[in-house]
Amino acid sequence: MKKRQSRTIYLLVFDGCQILDFAGPAQVFTTASQHIRDGVESYGGYDVKLVSANVSVTTATGIDVTCLPFPRRLRAESTLLVAGGGGVSAVAASTDYEKWVKRSLQYCQRWGSVCTGSLALAAWGLLDGKTATTHWRHLNELAKHTAVTLEEDALFVNDGAVWTSAGISAGIDMALAMVAEDAGTVVANQTAQHMVLATKRAGHQTQYSDLVALSLRDPQGDFAALHDWMQANLSRPIALSDMADFCATTVRTLQRRYKANLKTSPLKTLKQLRMQKAKNLLRSSDAAVTLVASECGFNSVQQFSKDFRSIFGVSPLQFRGQ
């Protein structure tokens, strides 16, 4: 009988890394391995390895972790993920880490980062021409790398062979998505259930509330009052002229200033806030979809469902069932 080939997961760690950035994904892959071996897959699960320039690293929690030295060559069908944490700036400036990662990528089936590990990848030019994300507190740092297309409100992003995730727990979601890609949704679901996790949080779900996101893009608070007013009136129709009247300005001036400050339009923001409210209602109540649509300012449940699916990839009822 032919021996099943395991896939190797290399987790790059360093002094000051977040322990859950590597421990969370490591547990996902380890748990998935048992379900894969119990199934009919053509390979034997995952072999998880912590690697670093040092034989031991001290995590941000003060816990010391023993690591393997950098292997000269990665195994076939491997995945390489860079952890995040306070020590990532030193890693980004390290030629030892940079040279090893760049040399190793030729052997990787896929590679990427958890949390702020993306900042090291970006510093090394490895995310140029790619779409990526990171922890919301560090989006501005990643945005300085103008060759990177920034996805601001995703839990994780998959661009070809490159995977990047937002903060800590999002690395677990990303690892589950990788398991689903490798072994199918049944194994991914079994893994999530075994770990008592949400079966699936799709990558396009936001890292934080839309009001928090807006405040980050509007640090001076020029439109904070408008956003609060929108939020308080989401159940009724709001036209662009209503927004302009609230701001005591013209529609044209509002659009110009808003675009200059927030790089989007007032109407797109309104739609974001409506959808955020819809998600909250679907999660926290058993209200009928028709009532949710009405509470979020939609006259037509059909239009609400269409818009919801276009943004989140699932219907309101499917979202509620996740």
Side-chain angles (χ1 to χ4, degrees), residues 79-83 105 110-114 117-118 121 127 161-164 174 178:
T79 296
L80 171 61
L81 296 176
V82 180
L105 293 189
R110 63 188 166 212
W111 52 275
S113 60
V114 178
S118 57
L121 296 177
L127 296 182
V162 184
W163 296 66
T164 54
M174 184 173 73
M178 290 179 178

Side-chain angles (χ1 to χ4, degrees), residues 172-234:
I172 294 175
D173 297 302
M174 184 173 73
L176 282 170
M178 290 179 178
V179 170
E181 180 181 73
D182 294 339
T185 56
V186 172
V187 172
N189 289 345
Q190 289 173 337
T191 301
Q193 290 165 4
H194 188 100
M195 295 177 65
V196 198
L197 298 169
T199 301
K200 179 181 178 183
R201 289 200 302 166
H204 53 249
Q205 290 189 34
T206 56
Q207 297 183 40
Y208 40 75
S209 76
D210 287 319
L211 282 178
V212 171
L214 290 168
S215 68
L216 289 171
R217 301 209 305 263
D218 182 28
Q220 303 304 315
D222 293 339
F223 294 98
L226 174 63
H227 296 152
D228 289 342
W229 176 80
M230 287 183 186
Q231 186 71 33
N233 291 278
L234 291 177

Side-chain angles (χ1 to χ4, degrees), residues 277-278 280-295 301 304 316-317 320:
K277 182 177 181 179
N280 292 340
L281 288 172
L282 289 167
R283 284 195 188 114
S284 63
S285 76
D286 295 324
V289 172
T290 52
L291 180 58
V292 172
S294 176
E295 285 293 312
V301 69
F304 166 64
L317 284 177
R320 174 174 271 167

Side-chain angles (χ1 to χ4, degrees), residues 60-259:
T61 61
I63 296 174
D64 292 334
V65 178
T66 301
C67 314
L68 295 174
F70 288 148
R72 296 186 63 181
R73 177 171 176 168
L74 273 59
R75 295 179 182 176
E77 289 196 319
S78 60
T79 296
L80 171 61
L81 296 176
V82 180
V88 75
S89 296
V91 169
S94 166
T95 55
D96 288 340
Y97 280 93
E98 180 179 2
K99 287 179 180 178
W100 181 79
V101 169
K102 287 183 174 179
R103 185 174 68 249
S104 298
L105 293 189
Q106 63 183 302
Y107 305 110
C108 291
Q109 173 194 12
R110 63 188 166 212
W111 52 275
S113 60
V114 178
C115 197
T116 54
S118 57
L119 299 179
L121 296 177
W124 300 330
L126 295 174
L127 296 182
D128 289 0
K130 299 293 184 180
T131 299
T133 194
T134 193
H135 189 284
W136 63 269
R137 286 188 178 275
H138 298 272
L139 288 170
N140 289 339
E141 294 176 56
L142 188 56
K144 293 176 182 177
H145 300 275
T146 56
V148 181
T149 300
L150 182 62
E151 184 68 56
E152 295 188 359
D153 59 356
L155 290 176
F156 61 87
V157 174
N158 173 210
D159 185 352
V162 184
W163 296 66
T164 54
S165 82
I168 303 179
S169 64
I172 294 175
D173 297 302
M174 184 173 73
L176 282 170
M178 290 179 178
V179 170
E181 180 181 73
D182 294 339
T185 56
V186 172
V187 172
N189 289 345
Q190 289 173 337
T191 301
Q193 290 165 4
H194 188 100
M195 295 177 65
V196 198
L197 298 169
T199 301
K200 179 181 178 183
R201 289 200 302 166
H204 53 249
Q205 290 189 34
T206 56
Q207 297 183 40
Y208 40 75
S209 76
D210 287 319
L211 282 178
V212 171
L214 290 168
S215 68
L216 289 171
R217 301 209 305 263
D218 182 28
Q220 303 304 315
D222 293 339
F223 294 98
L226 174 63
H227 296 152
D228 289 342
W229 176 80
M230 287 183 186
Q231 186 71 33
N233 291 278
L234 291 177
S235 61
R236 73 178 186 84
I238 300 175
L240 198 54
S241 57
D242 297 325
M243 300 182 203
D245 288 344
F246 179 85
C247 295
T249 188
T250 66
V251 167
R252 185 173 180 179
T253 298
L254 172 63
Q255 289 179 303
R256 176 176 53 80
R257 289 183 56 225
Y258 199 93
K259 179 71 172 179

